[in-house]
Amino acid sequence: AVVSTQSTGGESRYKITTIIGEKDGLGVENLQGSGMIAGETSRAYDEVFTISLVTCRSVGIGSYLVRLGQRVVQVDNSCIILTGANSLNNVLGRQVYTSNTQLGG
């Protein structure tokens, strides 16, 4: 995202002005972009307050990116998962999880 700084009542505020990749069709499969976001978020951790908002399913690298921030706001029925219920059931050798929702919260 590209941000601009605004001053409101003596306080500096940041406004998101552009979402990078919105028009170019970049998605979660673009690992180079995810790596760049991870690096920037990691560096920002010690400089500014960082927060992530999860509104739907966040899987794989998206789950790592969410956790790199200082705080996470997670909407009801949204999942933050590193692997799926089917994969875990296969490793465990039995049906333990019925859905990804059981894993991601």
Coordinates of all heavy atoms in Angstrom, one line a residue:
A1 N 0.8 -1.2 0.0 CA 0.0 0.0 0.0 C 0.9 1.2 0.0 O 2.0 1.2 0.5 CB -0.9 0.0 1.2
V2 N 0.4 2.3 -0.6 CA 1.1 3.6 -0.6 C 0.2 4.5 0.4 O -1.0 4.5 0.3 CB 1.1 4.2 -2.0 CG1 1.7 5.6 -2.0 CG2 1.9 3.2 -2.9
V3 N 0.9 5.1 1.2 CA 0.3 6.0 2.2 C 0.7 7.4 2.1 O 1.8 7.7 1.6 CB 0.5 5.5 3.7 CG1 0.0 4.1 3.9 CG2 2.0 5.5 4.0
S4 N -0.1 8.3 2.6 CA 0.3 9.7 2.7 C 0.1 10.1 4.2 O -0.7 9.5 4.9 CB -0.6 10.6 1.8 OG -2.0 10.6 2.2
T5 N 0.8 11.1 4.6 CA 0.7 11.6 6.0 C -0.1 12.8 6.0 O 0.0 13.7 5.2 CB 2.1 11.9 6.5 OG1 2.9 10.8 6.3 CG2 2.1 12.3 8.0
Q6 N -1.1 12.9 6.9 CA -1.9 14.0 7.1 C -1.8 14.5 8.6 O -1.6 13.7 9.4 CB -3.4 13.7 6.8 CG -3.6 13.3 5.4 CD -5.1 12.9 5.2 OE1 -5.7 12.5 6.1 NE2 -5.5 12.9 3.9
S7 N -1.9 15.7 8.8 CA -1.9 16.3 10.2 C -3.4 16.7 10.5 O -4.0 17.5 9.8 CB -1.0 17.5 10.3 OG -1.0 17.9 11.6
T8 N -3.9 16.1 11.6 CA -5.3 16.4 12.0 C -5.2 16.7 13.5 O -4.9 15.9 14.3 CB -6.2 15.1 11.8 OG1 -6.1 14.7 10.5 CG2 -7.6 15.5 12.2
G9 N -5.5 18.0 13.8 CA -5.5 18.4 15.2 C -4.2 18.2 15.9 O -4.2 17.9 17.1
G10 N -3.1 18.4 15.2 CA -1.8 18.3 15.8 C -1.3 16.9 15.8 O -0.1 16.7 16.2
E11 N -2.0 15.9 15.3 CA -1.6 14.5 15.3 C -1.3 14.1 13.8 O -2.0 14.5 12.9 CB -2.7 13.6 15.8 CG -2.9 13.6 17.3 CD -3.9 12.6 17.7 OE1 -4.5 11.9 16.9 OE2 -4.1 12.4 18.9
S12 N -0.3 13.4 13.6 CA 0.0 12.8 12.3 C -0.8 11.6 12.1 O -0.9 10.7 12.9 CB 1.5 12.4 12.2 OG 2.3 13.6 12.1
R13 N -1.5 11.5 10.9 CA -2.3 10.3 10.6 C -1.8 9.8 9.2 O -1.4 10.6 8.4 CB -3.8 10.7 10.4 CG -4.4 11.4 11.6 CD -4.8 10.3 12.6 NE -5.3 11.0 13.8 CZ -6.3 10.5 14.5 NH1 -6.9 9.4 14.1 NH2 -6.7 11.1 15.6
Y14 N -1.9 8.5 9.0 CA -1.6 7.9 7.8 C -2.8 7.5 7.0 O -3.7 6.9 7.6 CB -0.7 6.7 8.0 CG 0.6 7.0 8.6 CD1 0.8 7.0 10.0 CD2 1.7 7.4 7.8 CE1 2.0 7.4 10.6 CE2 2.9 7.8 8.4 CZ 3.1 7.7 9.8 OH 4.2 8.1 10.3
K15 N -2.9 7.8 5.7 CA -4.0 7.5 4.9 C -3.6 6.6 3.8 O -2.6 6.9 3.0 CB -4.7 8.7 4.4 CG -5.8 8.5 3.4 CD -6.4 9.8 2.9 CE -7.5 9.5 1.9 NZ -8.0 10.7 1.3
I16 N -4.2 5.4 3.6 CA -3.9 4.5 2.5 C -4.5 5.1 1.2 O -5.7 5.4 1.2 CB -4.4 3.1 2.7 CG1 -3.8 2.5 4.0 CG2 -4.2 2.2 1.5 CD1 -4.4 1.2 4.3
T17 N -3.6 5.4 0.3 CA -4.0 6.0 -1.0 C -4.0 5.1 -2.2 O -4.8 5.3 -3.1 CB -3.1 7.2 -1.3 OG1 -1.8 6.8 -1.4 CG2 -3.2 8.3 -0.3
T18 N -3.3 4.0 -2.1 CA -3.2 3.1 -3.2 C -2.9 1.7 -2.7 O -2.1 1.5 -1.8 CB -2.0 3.4 -4.2 OG1 -2.2 4.8 -4.6 CG2 -2.0 2.5 -5.4
I19 N -3.5 0.7 -3.2 CA -3.3 -0.7 -2.9 C -2.4 -1.3 -4.1 O -2.9 -1.3 -5.2 CB -4.5 -1.5 -2.8 CG1 -5.5 -1.0 -1.7 CG2 -4.2 -3.0 -2.5 CD1 -4.9 -0.9 -0.3
I20 N -1.2 -1.6 -3.8 CA -0.3 -2.1 -4.8 C -0.8 -3.5 -5.3 O -1.1 -4.4 -4.5 CB 1.1 -2.3 -4.3 CG1 1.7 -0.9 -3.9 CG2 2.1 -3.0 -5.3 CD1 3.0 -0.9 -3.1
G21 N -0.9 -3.6 -6.6 CA -1.4 -4.9 -7.2 C -2.9 -4.9 -7.5 O -3.4 -5.9 -8.1
E22 N -3.6 -4.0 -7.0 CA -5.1 -4.0 -7.1 C -5.5 -4.1 -8.6 O -6.4 -4.8 -9.0 CB -5.7 -2.8 -6.5 CG -7.2 -2.7 -6.6 CD -7.7 -1.5 -5.9 OE1 -7.8 -0.4 -6.5 OE2 -8.1 -1.6 -4.7
K23 N -4.8 -3.3 -9.4 CA -5.2 -3.2 -10.9 C -4.4 -4.2 -11.7 O -4.7 -4.5 -12.8 CB -5.0 -1.8 -11.4 CG -6.0 -0.8 -10.8 CD -5.8 0.6 -11.3 CE -6.7 1.5 -10.5 NZ -6.5 2.9 -10.8
D24 N -3.2 -4.6 -11.2 CA -2.3 -5.5 -11.9 C -2.6 -7.0 -11.8 O -2.0 -7.8 -12.4 CB -0.9 -5.3 -11.5 CG -0.4 -3.8 -11.7 OD1 -0.9 -3.2 -12.7 OD2 0.4 -3.3 -10.9
G25 N -3.6 -7.3 -10.9 CA -4.0 -8.7 -10.8 C -3.0 -9.5 -10.0 O -3.0 -10.8 -10.1
L26 N -2.2 -8.9 -9.1 CA -1.3 -9.7 -8.3 C -2.1 -10.4 -7.2 O -3.0 -9.8 -6.6 CB -0.3 -8.7 -7.6 CG 0.6 -8.0 -8.6 CD1 1.5 -7.0 -7.8 CD2 1.5 -9.0 -9.4
G27 N -1.8 -11.6 -6.9 CA -2.5 -12.4 -5.9 C -1.6 -13.0 -4.9 O -0.4 -12.7 -4.9
V28 N -2.1 -13.8 -4.0 CA -1.3 -14.5 -3.0 C -0.3 -15.4 -3.5 O 0.7 -15.8 -2.9 CB -2.2 -15.2 -2.0 CG1 -3.1 -14.3 -1.2 CG2 -3.1 -16.3 -2.7
E29 N -0.5 -15.8 -4.8 CA 0.5 -16.7 -5.4 C 1.8 -16.0 -5.8 O 2.8 -16.6 -6.1 CB -0.1 -17.4 -6.6 CG -0.5 -16.5 -7.8 CD -1.8 -15.9 -7.6 OE1 -2.6 -16.3 -6.7 OE2 -2.2 -15.0 -8.4
N30 N 1.9 -14.7 -5.7 CA 3.0 -14.0 -6.0 C 4.0 -13.9 -4.8 O 3.9 -13.0 -4.0 CB 2.7 -12.5 -6.4 CG 3.8 -11.8 -7.0 OD1 5.0 -12.0 -6.6 ND2 3.6 -10.9 -7.9
L31 N 4.8 -14.9 -4.7 CA 5.7 -15.0 -3.5 C 6.7 -13.9 -3.4 O 7.1 -13.5 -2.3 CB 6.4 -16.4 -3.5 CG 5.5 -17.6 -3.3 CD1 6.3 -18.9 -3.3 CD2 4.7 -17.5 -2.0
Q32 N 7.1 -13.3 -4.5 CA 8.1 -12.2 -4.4 C 7.4 -11.0 -3.7 O 8.0 -10.4 -2.9 CB 8.5 -11.8 -5.8 CG 9.6 -10.7 -5.8 CD 10.0 -10.4 -7.2 OE1 9.5 -10.9 -8.2 NE2 11.0 -9.5 -7.3
G33 N 6.2 -10.7 -4.0 CA 5.5 -9.6 -3.4 C 5.2 -9.9 -1.9 O 5.4 -9.1 -1.1
S34 N 4.9 -11.2 -1.6 CA 4.7 -11.6 -0.2 C 6.0 -11.5 0.6 O 6.0 -11.0 1.7 CB 4.2 -13.0 -0.1 OG 2.9 -13.1 -0.8
G35 N 7.1 -11.8 0.0 CA 8.4 -11.7 0.6 C 8.7 -10.2 0.9 O 9.2 -9.9 2.0
M36 N 8.4 -9.3 0.0 CA 8.6 -7.9 0.1 C 7.8 -7.4 1.3 O 8.2 -6.6 2.2 CB 8.3 -7.2 -1.1 CG 8.5 -5.7 -1.0 SD 8.1 -4.8 -2.6 CE 6.3 -4.9 -2.5
I37 N 6.5 -7.8 1.3 CA 5.6 -7.4 2.4 C 6.1 -7.9 3.8 O 6.1 -7.2 4.8 CB 4.2 -7.9 2.1 CG1 3.6 -7.2 0.9 CG2 3.3 -7.6 3.4 CD1 2.3 -7.8 0.4
A38 N 6.6 -9.1 3.8 CA 7.1 -9.7 5.0 C 8.3 -8.9 5.5 O 8.4 -8.6 6.7 CB 7.5 -11.1 4.8
G39 N 9.2 -8.5 4.6 CA 10.4 -7.8 5.0 C 10.0 -6.4 5.6 O 10.5 -5.9 6.6
E40 N 9.1 -5.7 4.9 CA 8.7 -4.4 5.3 C 8.0 -4.4 6.6 O 8.2 -3.6 7.5 CB 7.8 -3.7 4.2 CG 8.5 -3.3 3.0 CD 9.6 -2.3 3.2 OE1 9.4 -1.4 4.0 OE2 10.7 -2.4 2.6
T41 N 7.1 -5.4 6.8 CA 6.4 -5.5 8.1 C 7.3 -5.8 9.2 O 7.2 -5.3 10.3 CB 5.3 -6.6 7.9 OG1 4.4 -6.3 6.9 CG2 4.5 -6.7 9.2
S42 N 8.3 -6.7 9.0 CA 9.2 -7.0 10.0 C 10.1 -5.8 10.4 O 10.3 -5.6 11.6 CB 10.2 -8.2 9.5 OG 11.1 -8.5 10.4
R43 N 10.5 -5.0 9.4 CA 11.3 -3.8 9.7 C 10.4 -2.8 10.5 O 10.9 -2.1 11.4 CB 11.9 -3.2 8.5 CG 13.1 -4.0 8.0 CD 13.8 -3.3 6.8 NE 13.1 -3.5 5.6 CZ 13.1 -4.5 4.8 NH1 13.8 -5.6 5.2 NH2 12.4 -4.6 3.7
A44 N 9.1 -2.7 10.1 CA 8.2 -1.7 10.7 C 7.9 -2.0 12.1 O 7.5 -1.2 12.9 CB 7.0 -1.6 9.8
Y45 N 8.0 -3.3 12.5 CA 7.6 -3.8 13.8 C 8.2 -2.9 14.9 O 7.6 -2.6 15.9 CB 8.0 -5.2 14.0 CG 7.4 -5.9 15.2 CD1 6.2 -6.5 15.2 CD2 8.2 -5.8 16.4 CE1 5.7 -7.1 16.4 CE2 7.7 -6.4 17.6 CZ 6.5 -7.1 17.5 OH 6.0 -7.6 18.7
D46 N 9.5 -2.6 14.8 CA 10.2 -1.8 15.8 C 10.1 -0.3 15.6 O 10.5 0.4 16.5 CB 11.7 -2.2 15.8 CG 12.0 -3.6 16.2 OD1 11.2 -4.1 17.1 OD2 12.9 -4.3 15.7
E47 N 9.5 0.1 14.5 CA 9.4 1.6 14.3 C 8.1 2.2 14.5 O 7.9 3.3 14.9 CB 9.9 1.8 12.8 CG 11.3 1.5 12.6 CD 11.7 1.6 11.1 OE1 11.0 2.3 10.3 OE2 12.8 1.1 10.7
V48 N 7.0 1.4 14.1 CA 5.6 1.9 14.3 C 4.7 0.8 14.8 O 5.1 -0.4 14.7 CB 5.1 2.5 12.9 CG1 5.9 3.6 12.4 CG2 5.1 1.4 11.9
F49 N 3.5 1.2 15.2 CA 2.5 0.2 15.6 C 2.0 -0.5 14.3 O 1.7 0.1 13.4 CB 1.4 0.9 16.3 CG 0.3 -0.1 16.7 CD1 0.5 -0.9 17.7 CD2 -0.9 -0.1 16.0 CE1 -0.6 -1.8 18.1 CE2 -1.9 -0.9 16.4 CZ -1.8 -1.8 17.4
T50 N 2.1 -1.8 14.3 CA 1.6 -2.6 13.1 C 0.4 -3.4 13.5 O 0.3 -4.0 14.6 CB 2.8 -3.5 12.6 OG1 3.2 -4.3 13.7 CG2 3.9 -2.7 12.1
I51 N -0.5 -3.5 12.6 CA -1.8 -4.2 12.8 C -2.2 -4.9 11.5 O -2.0 -4.3 10.4 CB -2.9 -3.3 13.4 CG1 -4.1 -4.1 13.8 CG2 -3.2 -2.2 12.4 CD1 -5.1 -3.2 14.6
S52 N -2.8 -6.0 11.6 CA -3.3 -6.8 10.5 C -4.8 -7.0 10.7 O -5.3 -7.3 11.8 CB -2.6 -8.1 10.3 OG -1.3 -7.9 10.0
L53 N -5.6 -6.9 9.6 CA -7.0 -7.2 9.6 C -7.3 -8.4 8.7 O -7.0 -8.4 7.6 CB -7.8 -6.0 9.1 CG -9.3 -6.2 9.0 CD1 -10.0 -6.5 10.3 CD2 -9.9 -5.0 8.3
V54 N -7.9 -9.5 9.3 CA -8.2 -10.7 8.6 C -9.7 -10.7 8.5 O -10.4 -10.8 9.4 CB -7.7 -11.9 9.3 CG1 -8.0 -13.2 8.6 CG2 -6.2 -11.9 9.6
T55 N -10.2 -10.6 7.2 CA -11.6 -10.6 6.9 C -12.1 -11.9 6.3 O -13.3 -12.1 6.2 CB -12.0 -9.4 6.0 OG1 -11.3 -9.6 4.8 CG2 -11.6 -8.1 6.7
C56 N -11.2 -12.7 5.8 CA -11.6 -14.0 5.2 C -10.5 -15.0 5.5 O -9.7 -14.8 6.4 CB -11.9 -13.8 3.7 SG -10.5 -13.2 2.8
R57 N -10.3 -16.0 4.7 CA -9.3 -17.0 4.9 C -7.9 -16.5 4.6 O -7.7 -15.9 3.5 CB -9.6 -18.2 4.0 CG -8.7 -19.4 4.2 CD -9.0 -20.6 3.3 NE -10.4 -20.9 3.5 CZ -11.2 -21.5 2.6 NH1 -10.7 -21.7 1.4 NH2 -12.4 -21.8 2.8
S58 N -7.0 -16.7 5.5 CA -5.6 -16.4 5.3 C -4.8 -17.7 5.4 O -4.8 -18.3 6.5 CB -5.2 -15.4 6.4 OG -3.8 -15.0 6.2
V59 N -4.2 -18.1 4.3 CA -3.5 -19.4 4.3 C -2.1 -19.3 3.9 O -1.7 -18.4 3.1 CB -4.2 -20.3 3.2 CG1 -3.6 -21.7 3.1 CG2 -5.7 -20.4 3.5
G60 N -1.2 -20.2 4.4 CA 0.2 -20.2 4.0 C 0.9 -19.0 4.4 O 1.0 -18.5 5.5
I61 N 1.6 -18.4 3.4 CA 2.4 -17.2 3.6 C 1.6 -16.0 4.1 O 2.0 -15.2 4.9 CB 3.2 -16.7 2.3 CG1 4.1 -15.6 2.5 CG2 2.2 -16.3 1.2 CD1 5.3 -16.0 3.4
G62 N 0.3 -16.0 3.8 CA -0.6 -15.0 4.3 C -0.7 -15.1 5.8 O -0.8 -14.1 6.5
S63 N -0.7 -16.3 6.3 CA -0.8 -16.5 7.8 C 0.5 -16.0 8.5 O 0.4 -15.4 9.5 CB -0.9 -18.0 8.1 OG -2.1 -18.5 7.6
Y64 N 1.6 -16.2 7.9 CA 2.9 -15.7 8.4 C 2.9 -14.2 8.4 O 3.3 -13.5 9.4 CB 4.1 -16.2 7.7 CG 4.4 -17.7 7.9 CD1 4.2 -18.6 6.9 CD2 4.9 -18.1 9.1 CE1 4.4 -20.0 7.1 CE2 5.1 -19.5 9.3 CZ 4.9 -20.4 8.3 OH 5.2 -21.7 8.6
L65 N 2.4 -13.6 7.3 CA 2.4 -12.1 7.2 C 1.5 -11.5 8.3 O 1.9 -10.5 8.9 CB 1.9 -11.7 5.8 CG 2.8 -12.1 4.6 CD1 2.2 -11.7 3.3 CD2 4.2 -11.5 4.8
V66 N 0.4 -12.1 8.5 CA -0.5 -11.6 9.5 C 0.2 -11.6 10.9 O 0.1 -10.6 11.7 CB -1.8 -12.5 9.6 CG1 -2.6 -12.2 10.9 CG2 -2.6 -12.2 8.4
R67 N 0.9 -12.6 11.2 CA 1.5 -12.7 12.5 C 2.8 -11.9 12.7 O 3.2 -11.6 13.8 CB 1.9 -14.2 12.8 CG 2.4 -14.4 14.2 CD 1.4 -13.9 15.3 NE 2.0 -13.8 16.5 CZ 2.4 -12.7 17.1 NH1 2.3 -11.5 16.6 NH2 2.9 -12.7 18.3
L68 N 3.3 -11.3 11.6 CA 4.5 -10.5 11.8 C 4.1 -9.1 12.4 O 5.0 -8.5 12.9 CB 5.1 -10.2 10.4 CG 5.9 -11.4 9.8 CD1 6.3 -11.0 8.4 CD2 7.1 -11.7 10.6
G69 N 2.9 -8.7 12.4 CA 2.5 -7.5 13.0 C 2.3 -7.6 14.5 O 2.4 -8.7 15.1
Q70 N 2.2 -6.5 15.2 CA 2.0 -6.5 16.6 C 0.7 -6.9 17.1 O 0.5 -7.5 18.2 CB 2.4 -5.1 17.2 CG 3.8 -4.8 17.0 CD 4.1 -3.3 17.3 OE1 3.3 -2.5 17.3 NE2 5.4 -3.0 17.5
R71 N -0.4 -6.6 16.3 CA -1.7 -7.0 16.7 C -2.5 -7.5 15.4 O -2.2 -7.1 14.3 CB -2.5 -5.8 17.2 CG -2.0 -5.2 18.4 CD -2.4 -6.0 19.6 NE -2.0 -5.4 20.9 CZ -0.8 -5.4 21.5 NH1 0.1 -6.1 20.9 NH2 -0.6 -4.8 22.6
V72 N -3.4 -8.4 15.7 CA -4.3 -9.0 14.6 C -5.7 -8.8 15.0 O -6.1 -9.1 16.1 CB -4.0 -10.5 14.4 CG1 -4.9 -11.0 13.4 CG2 -2.5 -10.7 14.0
V73 N -6.5 -8.2 14.1 CA -8.0 -8.2 14.3 C -8.5 -9.2 13.3 O -8.3 -9.1 12.1 CB -8.5 -6.8 14.0 CG1 -10.0 -6.8 14.1 CG2 -7.9 -5.7 14.9
Q74 N -9.3 -10.1 13.9 CA -9.8 -11.2 13.1 C -11.3 -11.2 13.1 O -11.9 -11.3 14.2 CB -9.3 -12.6 13.6 CG -9.6 -13.8 12.8 CD -9.0 -15.0 13.3 OE1 -8.2 -15.0 14.2 NE2 -9.3 -16.1 12.6
V75 N -12.0 -11.1 12.0 CA -13.4 -11.1 11.8 C -14.0 -12.5 12.1 O -13.3 -13.5 11.7 CB -13.8 -10.6 10.4 CG1 -15.3 -10.6 10.2 CG2 -13.3 -9.2 10.2
D76 N -15.2 -12.6 12.7 CA -15.8 -13.9 12.9 C -15.8 -14.7 11.6 O -16.0 -14.1 10.5 CB -17.3 -13.7 13.4 CG -17.3 -13.3 14.8 OD1 -16.3 -13.5 15.6 OD2 -18.4 -12.8 15.3
N77 N -15.7 -16.0 11.7 CA -15.7 -16.9 10.6 C -14.6 -16.7 9.6 O -14.7 -17.1 8.4 CB -17.0 -16.8 9.8 CG -18.2 -17.3 10.7 OD1 -18.0 -18.2 11.5 ND2 -19.3 -16.6 10.6
S78 N -13.5 -16.0 10.0 CA -12.3 -15.9 9.2 C -11.3 -16.9 9.7 O -11.2 -17.1 10.9 CB -11.8 -14.5 9.1 OG -11.4 -14.1 10.4
C79 N -10.4 -17.5 8.8 CA -9.5 -18.5 9.3 C -8.0 -18.0 9.0 O -7.8 -17.3 8.0 CB -9.6 -19.8 8.5 SG -11.2 -20.5 8.6
I80 N -7.2 -18.3 10.0 CA -5.7 -18.0 9.8 C -5.1 -19.4 9.9 O -5.0 -19.9 11.0 CB -5.1 -17.1 10.9 CG1 -5.9 -15.7 10.8 CG2 -3.6 -16.9 10.7 CD1 -5.5 -14.8 12.0
I81 N -4.7 -20.0 8.8 CA -4.3 -21.4 8.9 C -3.0 -21.6 8.0 O -2.8 -21.0 7.0 CB -5.3 -22.4 8.3 CG1 -5.8 -22.0 7.0 CG2 -6.5 -22.5 9.3 CD1 -6.9 -22.9 6.4
L82 N -2.1 -22.4 8.6 CA -0.9 -22.8 7.9 C -1.1 -24.0 7.0 O -0.4 -24.2 6.0 CB 0.3 -23.0 8.9 CG 0.6 -21.8 9.7 CD1 1.7 -22.1 10.7 CD2 1.1 -20.7 8.8
T83 N -1.9 -24.9 7.4 CA -2.2 -26.1 6.6 C -3.7 -26.4 6.8 O -4.4 -25.9 7.7 CB -1.3 -27.2 7.1 OG1 -1.5 -28.3 6.1 CG2 -1.6 -27.7 8.4
G84 N -4.3 -27.3 6.0 CA -5.7 -27.6 6.1 C -6.0 -28.7 6.9 O -5.2 -29.5 7.3
A85 N -7.3 -28.8 7.2 CA -7.8 -29.9 8.1 C -7.6 -31.3 7.5 O -7.2 -32.2 8.2 CB -9.3 -29.7 8.3
N86 N -7.7 -31.4 6.2 CA -7.5 -32.7 5.5 C -6.0 -33.1 5.7 O -5.8 -34.3 5.9 CB -7.8 -32.6 4.0 CG -9.3 -32.5 3.8 OD1 -10.1 -32.9 4.6 ND2 -9.7 -32.0 2.6
S87 N -5.1 -32.2 5.5 CA -3.7 -32.6 5.7 C -3.4 -33.0 7.1 O -2.7 -34.0 7.3 CB -2.8 -31.4 5.4 OG -3.0 -31.0 4.0
L88 N -3.9 -32.3 8.1 CA -3.7 -32.8 9.5 C -4.3 -34.1 9.8 O -3.7 -34.9 10.5 CB -4.2 -31.7 10.4 CG -3.4 -30.4 10.5 CD1 -4.0 -29.4 11.4 CD2 -2.0 -30.7 11.0
N89 N -5.5 -34.3 9.3 CA -6.2 -35.6 9.5 C -5.4 -36.8 8.8 O -5.3 -37.8 9.4 CB -7.6 -35.6 8.9 CG -8.6 -34.8 9.7 OD1 -8.4 -34.6 10.9 ND2 -9.6 -34.3 9.0
N90 N -4.8 -36.5 7.7 CA -3.9 -37.5 7.1 C -2.7 -37.8 7.9 O -2.3 -39.0 8.1 CB -3.5 -37.1 5.7 CG -4.6 -37.2 4.7 OD1 -5.6 -37.9 4.8 ND2 -4.5 -36.4 3.6
V91 N -2.1 -36.8 8.5 CA -0.9 -37.0 9.3 C -1.3 -37.7 10.6 O -0.6 -38.6 11.0 CB -0.2 -35.6 9.7 CG1 0.8 -35.8 10.7 CG2 0.4 -35.0 8.4
L92 N -2.4 -37.4 11.2 CA -2.9 -38.0 12.4 C -3.4 -39.4 12.2 O -3.6 -40.2 13.1 CB -3.9 -37.2 13.1 CG -3.4 -35.8 13.6 CD1 -4.6 -34.9 14.0 CD2 -2.4 -36.0 14.7
G93 N -3.8 -39.8 10.9 CA -4.3 -41.1 10.6 C -5.7 -41.3 11.0 O -6.2 -42.4 11.0
R94 N -6.4 -40.3 11.3 CA -7.9 -40.4 11.7 C -8.5 -39.0 11.5 O -7.9 -38.0 11.4 CB -8.1 -40.9 13.1 CG -7.5 -40.1 14.2 CD -7.5 -40.8 15.5 NE -6.8 -40.1 16.5 CZ -7.4 -39.2 17.4 NH1 -8.7 -39.1 17.4 NH2 -6.7 -38.6 18.3
Q95 N -9.9 -39.0 11.5 CA -10.7 -37.8 11.3 C -10.8 -37.1 12.6 O -11.6 -37.4 13.5 CB -12.0 -38.2 10.8 CG -12.9 -37.0 10.4 CD -12.5 -36.4 9.1 OE1 -11.8 -36.9 8.2 NE2 -12.9 -35.1 8.9
V96 N -9.9 -36.1 12.8 CA -9.9 -35.2 14.0 C -10.6 -33.9 13.8 O -11.4 -33.5 14.6 CB -8.5 -35.0 14.6 CG1 -8.5 -34.1 15.8 CG2 -7.8 -36.3 14.9
Y97 N -10.3 -33.3 12.6 CA -10.9 -32.0 12.3 C -11.9 -32.2 11.1 O -11.6 -32.9 10.2 CB -9.7 -31.0 11.8 CG -8.7 -30.9 12.9 CD1 -7.5 -31.5 12.9 CD2 -9.0 -30.0 14.0 CE1 -6.5 -31.3 13.9 CE2 -8.0 -29.9 15.0 CZ -6.8 -30.5 14.9 OH -5.9 -30.4 15.9
T98 N -13.0 -31.5 11.3 CA -14.0 -31.6 10.2 C -14.0 -30.4 9.3 O -14.6 -30.4 8.2 CB -15.4 -31.6 10.9 OG1 -15.6 -30.5 11.7 CG2 -15.6 -32.9 11.7
S99 N -13.3 -29.3 9.7 CA -13.2 -28.1 8.8 C -12.0 -27.3 9.1 O -11.5 -27.4 10.2 CB -14.5 -27.2 8.9 OG -14.5 -26.6 10.2
N100 N -11.6 -26.4 8.2 CA -10.5 -25.5 8.4 C -10.9 -24.4 9.5 O -10.0 -23.9 10.2 CB -10.1 -24.8 7.1 CG -9.5 -25.7 6.2 OD1 -8.8 -26.7 6.6 ND2 -9.6 -25.4 4.9
T101 N -12.2 -24.1 9.7 CA -12.6 -23.2 10.7 C -12.2 -23.6 12.1 O -11.8 -22.8 12.9 CB -14.1 -23.0 10.6 OG1 -14.5 -22.6 9.3 CG2 -14.6 -21.9 11.6
Q102 N -12.1 -24.9 12.4 CA -11.7 -25.4 13.7 C -10.2 -25.1 13.9 O -9.8 -25.0 15.1 CB -11.9 -26.9 13.7 CG -13.3 -27.3 13.9 CD -13.4 -28.9 14.0 OE1 -12.9 -29.6 13.1 NE2 -13.9 -29.3 15.0
L103 N -9.4 -24.9 12.9 CA -8.0 -24.7 13.0 C -7.6 -23.2 13.1 O -6.6 -22.9 13.7 CB -7.3 -25.2 11.8 CG -7.5 -26.7 11.5 CD1 -6.8 -27.1 10.2 CD2 -6.9 -27.5 12.7
G104 N -8.4 -22.3 12.5 CA -7.9 -21.0 12.3 C -8.5 -19.9 13.2 O -9.1 -19.0 12.7
G105 N -8.3 -19.9 14.4 CA -8.9 -18.9 15.2 C -8.2 -18.6 16.5 O -7.3 -18.4 17.0

